[in-house]
Amino acid sequence: MAETRCFLFIKIVKTKHVIEVYEYEHLNVKSQFPEDRVDTGESLNLLENYRHRNQLRRDNIRRLAIENFDTKNDKFLTLTFRDRPDLDVKDVKACNKEFEKFIKRLKLYLRNKHDPDYKLKYLAVIEFQDSRGRGAVHYHMLLNIPYISQKFIENTLWAQGKVWINKIDHVDNLGAYVIKYMTPDTEDPRLMGLKAYNCSKGLVRPDCIKSWDDPEKVQAMLATLPKEKVVYSQQYKTENAGKIAYSQVNLTRKLPK
């Protein structure tokens, strides 16, 4: 982050140990945050709207992952589909129905085998399997489950195709880890009008403070941010907000000795 700030408007989004700072030259009338937008009466075309929404949901997924899951206790699970004559594995809506059935079976199993009050948390993103040209839907998800054998999940709880469980104890930014598995093409028409992720209800949302609402709180937080732990920064310009500076701080990032 710059030593001297020349931006009039500042927004800070805090998700546990990751803090994002947005600095705007002008009030961001077409912000990625809907509550900051001012209606200019201009309409974006369908593709531009889709690109914008795609970036919004990627940011939302990234923050939900950081805020609600941890690398020590939670799991990363991948669910795939085998070819079936009675299911179009390229159809997101049809596959989502099978995913919902899996969540119901998993909840029932956890409540019967572990705790009748077990509250499952999960966040799942969609990716299309294009490596062999199948285009089949598969899911990558974070979830708070105890040890369950891969074989049991694959054969009994999922029963649709292969399943993988990955360790995530080496990950220092779960948000970035999850979104790298999302379908990367922001112009992919297969998700237009559809959700690119599924999540449990009640996930905690990140804190967001703005200089135009609470300038003293923003300045106090900026003063505590360690510049040496900035892991990413960029500046760009938009038609409505002018210059924008973005910085991301990861408080758990180890500093080189």
Side-chain angles (χ1 to χ4, degrees):
M1 282 169 281
E3 294 292 336
T4 302
R5 287 187 157 80
C6 59
F7 296 90
L8 297 177
F9 305 98
I10 300 174
K11 176 193 295 291
I12 299 177
V13 182
K14 185 177 184 301
T15 50
K16 283 188 176 176
H17 57 281
V18 175
I19 300 170
E20 299 171 85
V21 180
Y22 295 84
E23 303 178 73
Y24 306 117
E25 186 177 21
H26 308 299
L27 186 60
N28 196 13
V29 297
K30 285 189 178 179
S31 169
Q32 60 177 310
F33 298 90
E35 68 271 19
D36 298 337
R37 296 184 204 144
V38 175
D39 187 3
T40 63
E42 300 173 358
S43 61
L44 300 175
N45 65 39
L46 182 62
L47 183 55
E48 288 174 331
N49 266 320
Y50 178 66
R51 288 172 177 166
H52 182 71
R53 288 196 303 271
N54 186 273
Q55 185 59 52
L56 280 175
R57 61 191 178 190
R58 290 175 77 88
D59 288 341
N60 190 41
I61 290 165
R62 177 167 51 80
R63 292 167 184 146
L64 287 175
I66 296 169
E67 190 69 38
N68 293 277
F69 300 92
D70 67 76
T71 59
K72 293 182 179 179
N73 301 305
D74 298 325
K75 309 293 190 300
F76 187 77
L77 182 66
T78 297
L79 307 171
T80 70
F81 286 94
R82 69 174 68 91
D83 289 328
R84 282 174 43 184
D86 60 334
L87 177 68
D88 182 356
V89 296
K90 300 178 183 180
D91 185 330
V92 176
K93 289 183 178 180
C95 292
N96 278 344
K97 290 180 181 179
E98 297 301 325
F99 179 81
E100 291 167 3
K101 293 176 185 177
F102 164 73
I103 293 298
K104 289 180 181 179
R105 288 192 292 268
L106 178 58
K107 286 180 177 179
L108 183 62
Y109 171 79
L110 291 170
R111 290 167 182 170
N112 288 338
K113 296 293 184 179
H114 293 274
D115 183 347
D117 296 319
Y118 200 102
K119 293 183 179 180
L120 176 67
K121 290 195 305 182
Y122 66 89
L123 175 65
V125 299
I126 292 173
E127 186 179 21
F128 295 101
Q129 186 180 13
D130 288 332
S131 59
R132 291 185 294 157
R134 292 177 71 224
V137 171
H138 54 285
Y139 300 90
H140 303 285
M141 62 188 303
L142 290 168
L143 67 175
N144 66 331
I145 57 173
Y147 171 79
I148 306 175
S149 74
Q150 180 175 334
K151 185 177 180 180
F152 183 75
I153 295 175
E154 182 171 301
N155 296 336
T156 304
L157 296 178
W158 177 236
Q160 301 291 335
K162 291 291 184 181
V163 165
W164 287 272
I165 303 176
N166 296 330
K167 292 182 178 181
I168 51 176
D169 53 4
H170 63 287
V171 179
D172 70 352
N173 189 328
L174 276 177
Y177 185 80
V178 170
I179 62 173
K180 77 177 183 179
Y181 287 98
M182 289 181 69
T183 294
D185 188 351
T186 57
E187 299 177 19
D188 196 318
R190 291 174 290 187
L191 286 174
M192 277 195 177
L194 301 173
K195 287 189 67 176
Y197 68 98
N198 297 284
C199 65
S200 53
K201 294 180 179 179
L203 294 185
V204 178
R205 304 284 167 169
D207 290 331
C208 178
I209 58 173
K210 310 162 194 174
S211 63
W212 52 96
D213 289 338
D214 195 339
E216 292 184 359
K217 188 173 182 180
V218 167
Q219 291 302 321
M221 183 172 287
L222 287 174
T224 66
L225 295 183
K227 297 179 179 63
E228 67 275 11
K229 291 198 174 185
V230 174
V231 295
Y232 180 78
S233 62
Q234 68 168 334
Q235 289 197 22
Y236 51 96
K237 190 172 183 178
T238 65
E239 180 180 353
N240 294 279
K243 292 180 182 178
I244 299 176
Y246 171 82
S247 300
Q248 186 180 120
V249 175
N250 188 330
L251 298 178
T252 63
R253 182 64 56 89
K254 294 182 180 179
L255 300 176
K257 296 181 179 180

